[in-house]
Amino acid sequence: LNPSDITEDLVSDCLYTAPSSQVDLLIRTSGETRLSDFMLWQAGLSSLAFTSVLWPEFSLLDLAWCILEYQRGYRDLKQARDTHRRQMRMTEDSGRDREPDRVHWMTVRDEAVQTASGSRHQTSSSSAAAAAAAAA
């Protein structure tokens, strides 16, 4: 296997989540604002919700709040995904080999998580998507 053979699609196809659709919303309970290497690749272009509610107490109301926040930031998230797809198409069309922008997306997301406030629920999709769109 040559380094030039490794593509974003190849990596995605080799993961145990390959048959599943893309993650739209990832919810982290317990007040932790980190993913601990959990689904980093799959959540690269997803909305992240952090809540201080522990999993056993996570209720339908908490889920509804996370979905509402996801819906509020959906336009920015969609714009970031579209920008990423355009960049990947341009790379494929140009015939040049370059690394995918995964590292950039993770960096933007981590930055948004680090600057999030200490509220009961936090989401980073809007700020991460806006920062990614501005950087593009």
Side-chain angles (χ1 to χ4, degrees):
L1 184 65
N2 294 322
S4 61
D5 296 335
I6 300 172
T7 64
E8 185 173 338
D9 291 333
L10 177 65
V11 173
S12 296
D13 291 344
C14 292
L15 297 173
Y16 70 92
T17 56
S20 304
S21 60
Q22 181 178 3
V23 175
D24 289 319
L25 173 63
L26 183 73
I27 301 171
R28 171 67 193 236
T29 60
S30 78
E32 297 290 336
T33 54
R34 59 187 171 81
L35 295 181
S36 305
D37 295 336
F38 177 72
M39 295 183 68
L40 286 178
W41 184 268
Q42 299 90 329
L45 292 170
S46 302
S47 179
L48 305 175
F50 300 97
T51 176
S52 60
V53 179
L54 298 176
W55 176 245
E57 287 84 32
F58 192 79
S59 68
L60 187 58
L61 185 59
D62 294 312
L63 177 61
W65 185 92
C66 291
I67 292 171
L68 177 65
E69 286 296 313
Y70 167 77
Q71 290 172 334
R72 286 182 41 201
Y74 181 75
R75 187 179 319 151
D76 293 333
L77 181 62
K78 183 169 176 17
Q79 182 181 4
R81 285 179 178 170
D82 292 343
T83 300
H84 177 71
R85 286 186 190 113
R86 273 194 309 275
Q87 288 175 344
M88 294 309 293
R89 264 189 254 123
M90 286 178 9
T91 301
E92 290 168 3
D93 293 344
S94 69
R96 293 181 297 139
D97 290 334
R98 73 175 185 90
E99 294 180 28
D101 290 336
R102 282 285 174 191
V103 174
H104 170 71
W105 289 103
M106 285 186 226
T107 303
V108 169
R109 183 184 56 231
D110 291 343
E111 220 171 82
V113 169
Q114 289 172 1
T115 59
S117 65
S119 64
R120 176 178 163 124
H121 301 283
Q122 303 164 23
T123 57
S124 62
S125 63
S126 298
S127 55

